[in-house]
Amino acid sequence: MVGTTSAETAVHDDPAAPVTPRAMRADARRNYERLLAEARSAFAAHGTDASLEDVARRAGVGIGTLYRHFPNRHALLSAVFEDAVSDLLARSHELLDAPEPCTALVTWLREIVAHAGEYRGLARALMSVSTDDTSALARCSGPIREAGNALLTRAREAGRVRADVAIGDLLQLTHAIALAAEESPGDPDLADRLLTLTLRGLKAG
């Protein structure tokens, strides 16, 4: 696993979002898709601190091309996590019709833990941008927060969750659980136990 490089540092603080593939020339779109595919493989194998230079090299492009598409690591992470966000948003809409609102909320939180666990370091990154709207990764956290708030509100209105529970705090707890599970690979049931404890703390009355 390789940490942040000097080339990345030069653009790390750039808040620009990644360039989307829409309206790209065909060759630029191919570069974008190759970079994204190699980033997924590198993050899965080495965690989210994987070398971006290696990602670019494996995609057959220069590091400058990577940064034109993804101005910093968070921008690349946002693009990699985008499919998972789409799945989580679709799932939240389905769960809004579930008969037990509190169970629906916890089911969705479990799925966040599962998605965050796909890439070592992602849970930590999501925690770090919880109050940073300038990060490209906040493009993921914003919609997730809205979707979670809808599920939380439904559970609260049903009298199953305490009125003082805030979605921001709940998501931070969920990311922390994902991080704890990541750090304890020998205990596959840890996340579920911690979510059960969270549920007990959420319940009204």
Side-chain angles (χ1 to χ4, degrees):
M1 182 166 63
V2 181
T4 302
T5 65
S6 58
E8 180 183 357
T9 301
V11 294
H12 181 77
D13 293 329
D14 186 341
V19 178
T20 62
R22 289 179 296 181
M24 286 183 187
R25 298 193 319 269
D27 57 341
R29 181 186 294 270
R30 284 193 296 271
N31 286 342
Y32 179 95
E33 297 298 343
R34 283 200 300 265
L35 285 164
L36 204 50
E38 292 299 338
R40 289 192 181 103
S41 297
F43 291 162
H46 306 294
T48 58
D49 286 336
S51 166
L52 299 192
E53 282 80 0
D54 283 348
V55 170
R57 179 177 54 80
R58 290 177 182 277
V61 301
I63 189 64
T65 297
L66 182 149
Y67 284 132
R68 279 195 294 275
H69 288 290
F70 308 103
N72 51 49
R73 188 176 295 269
H74 276 187
L76 182 54
L77 272 175
S78 177
V80 166
F81 196 47
E82 190 171 331
D83 288 343
V85 172
S86 296
D87 291 343
L88 288 167
L89 296 182
R91 185 67 171 134
S92 72
H93 290 305
E94 293 174 4
L95 289 168
L96 283 172
D97 295 324
E100 175 45 64
C102 192
T103 300
L105 175 62
V106 174
T107 296
W108 189 71
L109 296 178
R110 282 194 177 97
E111 294 184 13
I112 288 181
V113 171
H115 279 296
E118 291 178 3
Y119 303 107
R120 188 172 68 255
L122 179 57
R124 188 185 303 277
L126 290 170
M127 290 179 71
S128 73
V129 301
S130 62
T131 59
D132 180 10
D133 292 336
T134 67
S135 168
L137 195 53
R139 296 192 317 132
C140 294
S141 61
I144 288 176
R145 189 182 301 112
E146 292 179 11
N149 196 51
L151 290 169
L152 175 59
T153 298
R154 183 168 177 258
R156 189 187 294 123
E157 290 175 347
R160 302 303 305 276
V161 173
R162 289 166 31 194
D164 62 343
V165 175
I167 189 59
D169 293 342
L170 188 52
L171 288 174
Q172 282 291 77
L173 276 172
T174 303
H175 296 324
I177 288 171
L179 182 57
E182 174 186 305
E183 297 293 331
S184 304
D187 187 356
D189 298 325
L190 177 62
D192 200 62
R193 293 201 308 274
L194 293 177
L195 279 170
T196 298
L197 289 173
T198 301
L199 172 59
R200 291 174 183 168
L202 291 176
K203 286 186 175 179

